[in-house]
Amino acid sequence: MITGELKNKIDALWDIFAAGGLVNPLEVIEQITYLMFIHDLDDSDNIRAKESAMLGLPYQSIFVEEVKIGERTIDGSQLKWSVFHDFPADRMYSVMQEWVFPFIKTLHSDKNSAYSKYMDDAIFKLPTPLVLSKVVDSLDEIYKMMSEIQATDVRGDVYEYLLSKIAQSGRNGQFRTPRHIIRMMVEMMNPSSSEMICDPACGTSGFLVAAGEYLKETKKEEIFFDKQKKDHYMNHMFHGYDMDRTMLRIGAMNMMTHGIDNPFIEYRDSLSDQNGDKDKYTLILANPPFKGSLDAESVSGDLLKVCKTKKTELLFLALFLRMLKIGGRCACIVPDGVLFGSSTAHKAIRKEIVENQRLEAVVSMPSGVFKPYAGVSTAILIFTKTEHGGTDQVWFYDMAADGLSLDDKRSPIAENDIPDIIERFKHLDREVDRKRTDKSFLVPKKEIVENGYDLSINKYKEVEYIPVEYPPTSEIMANIRQLEQEIGKEMDELEKLLE
């Protein structure tokens, strides 16, 4: 989580926009996102140049000596944040307006990339050189503070704080999944270098970015020393859909600044007939929207065959099953109601996953994980598409802490079950003898079926009651009498003092 000081810096940046006449939060976030992207483009270009040099691979900077913008050819170095941020305000403004913005809009224009799709209508809206100069200085301070905070995804946390300023975000269910939860899910799934990964409700592409970073950390040589695998990683591995163009734009930029050249990020209503994906992906990582219902007429008919409902959290589960290849895996976040809901649709989707696919794990999370945006209790479902069953035993884990306090402040604490969850999930053979009173245990399929496919951990967890021995009533009464006498003596002494 970001510190109070960093929040104050972001608030101050927001105030600069307000003072300059930009008050629409969506517009402010878009402009900040563009500027952050321009800053990150400089940083990531330098990092990739160093990485290529270390690996002995050729690398051509996007800021080549001469860059053609429109009819003009200019020195590419002037497009770098680290260069133009020292220019006088008027010159910086003209460089940004006439060169830098047209340059970032035409990046990847030679291919039908996610980036070119969502940048072609980007508009530079900062009204004056003074406002731009103040914003650039403010962002420099924010980046300096971000580099001092040794957190793995402080930039993602900055995005979270920016998005929290959109009043609509709560109503639209666009709650950013905490990055440590995303990272836990990615580590549990341990993606391979040949995956086809999809998030059908991708938002700012948090799951895709985390999967990309994990692969870069754990399978770097396997991917980057193999031409085909590198091409797959850069151009074919990552797929994301959303219905919010601002989110898609942020998501595309987020992916590119994390070194993924051409992710397939597209405007699409995943639950409608507009989404024809079937038997396509090997891994789905998602936190689909589960706020409210939707118009059943807009939902794809084959999803309604699996479970007839208007509830998005159930329809997305049916969608994941359709989109996965046989043998494809899914890790997704669902509200607790999905685990024990008694409606026909709830039971139908649980039965489908348990009977016809292979349900592997249910990780129950505490209700404070999504605070301060929502207090809903959630769980992570992990399953594999088989189309012929295979559920033998289901692994349950009762997460009590995620390393942060479960109140609105979400302050760091010592208690953290995440490393234990990853470790135990990777060694399920050691879970066989665990008792039901432990944090995790295995439940045979037969017992789940007998309980109406109920997947809530409380149905199977055993609470160990330790009998408490109390002293006899006469002893308690004698203690109370003694306390009363002591209180009486103290009161007498107080009265003497007052006299």
Side-chain angles (χ1 to χ4, degrees):
M1 294 293 282
I2 60 175
T3 61
E5 196 179 350
L6 186 49
K7 283 182 181 178
N8 292 339
K9 291 283 184 194
I10 297 166
D11 291 341
L13 173 63
W14 201 272
D15 292 341
I16 294 167
F17 279 94
L22 273 173
V23 291
N24 180 340
L26 274 173
E27 286 186 355
V28 174
I29 285 174
E30 278 192 322
Q31 296 301 305
I32 293 173
T33 303
Y34 298 147
L35 293 170
M36 287 178 78
F37 179 70
I38 292 161
H39 183 287
D40 292 342
L41 215 51
D42 189 358
D43 282 353
S44 61
D45 188 70
N46 293 335
I47 291 165
R48 290 170 76 182
K50 284 177 189 171
E51 283 181 349
S52 297
M54 283 170 65
L55 296 167
L57 300 169
Y59 179 70
Q60 185 177 10
S61 168
I62 56 169
F63 303 105
V64 286
E65 288 178 16
E66 289 192 336
V67 175
K68 194 167 171 49
I69 295 174
E71 300 299 313
R72 301 177 66 182
T73 302
I74 61 162
D75 178 6
S77 67
Q78 293 196 62
L79 304 174
K80 292 170 80 87
W81 182 284
S82 55
V83 173
F84 71 70
H85 79 153
D86 290 327
F87 291 172
D90 287 339
R91 189 179 170 207
M92 191 199 300
Y93 192 79
S94 61
V95 165
M96 181 71 80
Q97 196 170 39
E98 295 168 27
W99 295 350
V100 178
F101 234 72
F103 171 68
I104 66 162
K105 284 177 70 168
T106 54
L107 272 177
H108 286 241
S109 59
D110 56 324
K111 39 183 161 172
N112 187 27
S113 71
Y115 182 75
S116 57
K117 277 181 212 166
Y118 300 110
M119 285 303 287
D120 59 358
D121 58 353
I123 303 166
F124 178 63
K125 292 185 178 177
L126 272 73
T128 64
L130 183 62
V131 170
L132 175 63
S133 179
K134 284 181 176 178
V135 167
V136 167
D137 288 345
S138 181
L139 273 171
D140 276 334
E141 288 177 23
I142 287 167
Y143 269 94
K144 188 183 175 190
M145 288 188 70
M146 281 162 62
S147 67
E148 288 167 1
I149 299 169
Q150 297 300 312
T152 49
D153 189 27
V154 68
R155 208 189 75 154
D157 291 327
V158 168
Y159 265 136
E160 172 187 21
Y161 187 61
L162 284 170
L163 294 173
S164 72
K165 290 178 174 289
I166 305 177
Q168 304 161 328
S169 69
R171 288 201 296 276
N172 293 344
Q174 291 167 343
F175 300 121
R176 176 182 176 274
T177 314
R179 285 311 184 255
H180 59 290
I181 300 296
I182 289 177
R183 177 72 189 194
M184 175 183 81
M185 291 166 69
V186 170
E187 286 195 35
M188 289 173 81
M189 300 314 285
N190 186 24
S192 72
S193 58
S194 57
E195 301 279 9
M196 286 279 282
I197 304 174
C198 182
D199 180 352
C202 66
T204 57
S205 300
F207 279 101
L208 302 179
V209 166
E213 290 294 290
Y214 178 79
L215 284 163
K216 204 183 283 186
E217 288 168 25
T218 58
K219 298 174 174 67
K220 192 170 192 171
E221 291 184 6
E222 186 184 335
I223 292 168
F224 292 97
F225 285 150
D226 184 310
K227 194 175 179 182
Q228 280 186 317
K229 284 185 176 178
K230 186 180 177 185
D231 176 68
H232 177 68
Y233 177 87
M234 292 295 186
N235 302 302
H236 309 291
M237 184 182 280
F238 301 99
H239 299 252
Y241 309 129
D242 206 280
M243 291 173 65
D244 185 320
R245 284 187 72 84
T246 304
M247 293 294 169
L248 289 166
R249 193 175 283 137
I250 292 170
M253 286 190 265
N254 205 4
M255 292 291 281
M256 280 190 70
T257 52
H258 280 82
I260 297 151
D261 284 350
N262 190 24
F264 187 83
I265 293 179
E266 188 171 271
Y267 180 91
R268 187 183 289 188
D269 180 356
S270 292
L271 293 175
S272 72
D273 289 321
Q274 187 185 6
N275 180 11
D277 287 354
K278 188 175 184 181
D279 303 326
K280 187 173 178 181
Y281 303 105
T282 61
L283 178 60
I284 286 178
L285 296 160
N287 176 16
F290 40 78
K291 196 174 166 70
S293 304
L294 78 171
D295 180 8
E297 289 175 15
S298 69
V299 178
S300 178
D302 55 354
L303 300 183
L304 294 171
K305 285 176 190 171
V306 180
C307 61
K308 193 168 175 57
T309 181
K310 291 183 183 179
K311 290 195 172 294
T312 54
E313 61 265 35
L314 303 180
L315 291 166
F316 266 101
L317 285 172
L319 176 71
F320 299 156
L321 291 173
R322 191 190 76 190
M323 292 173 77
L324 284 169
K325 289 180 175 180
I326 300 290
R329 301 165 302 143
C330 174
C332 64
I333 295 172
V334 295
D336 267 5
V338 170
L339 306 179
F340 56 77
S342 57
S343 75
T344 306
H346 279 90
K347 286 180 179 175
I349 194 67
R350 292 200 301 267
K351 184 178 180 181
E352 171 66 27
I353 293 171
V354 172
E355 293 289 355
N356 299 331
Q357 318 303 333
R358 184 156 71 90
L359 177 62
E360 292 168 52
V362 180
V363 179
S364 181
M365 295 193 288
S367 61
V369 165
F370 283 93
K371 282 188 173 180
Y373 311 115
V376 63
S377 290
T378 53
I380 297 165
L381 286 185
I382 296 175
F383 56 86
T384 302
K385 179 176 177 176
T386 63
E387 294 289 30
H388 61 262
T391 305
D392 182 20
Q393 295 188 102
V394 179
W395 183 68
F396 285 82
Y397 192 105
D398 192 9
M399 182 203 281
D402 66 344
L404 299 168
S405 63
L406 297 172
D407 54 15
D408 285 355
K409 290 183 180 176
R410 297 289 276 149
S411 310
I413 58 169
E415 294 78 24
N416 187 0
D417 288 332
I418 290 175
D420 187 47
I421 291 170
I422 296 165
E423 180 64 23
R424 291 193 189 192
F425 182 71
K426 286 182 177 177
H427 301 97
L428 289 180
D429 52 319
R430 300 176 192 165
E431 298 291 296
V432 177
D433 297 324
R434 287 203 192 273
K435 294 178 179 177
R436 297 283 178 93
T437 51
D438 205 337
K439 276 188 172 181
S440 68
F441 48 83
L442 291 164
V443 176
K445 176 192 165 187
K446 184 173 179 286
E447 193 176 338
I448 291 170
V449 174
E450 286 168 357
N451 279 297
Y453 301 99
D454 192 317
L455 298 176
S456 55
I457 194 164
N458 293 334
K459 199 82 176 175
Y460 308 101
K461 191 173 176 70
E462 290 174 7
V463 181
E464 202 169 6
Y465 293 104
I466 300 164
V468 180
E469 294 224 355
Y470 295 103
T473 311
S474 57
E475 195 177 317
I476 295 169
M477 291 295 287
N479 286 338
I480 293 170
R481 287 280 184 207
Q482 190 180 344
L483 285 168
E484 277 185 337
Q485 285 170 8
E486 286 172 11
I487 291 166
K489 281 179 186 176
E490 297 289 340
M491 290 294 289
D492 290 343
E493 285 181 26
L494 277 171
E495 281 176 356
K496 281 177 188 175
L497 287 169
L498 286 169
E499 287 170 6

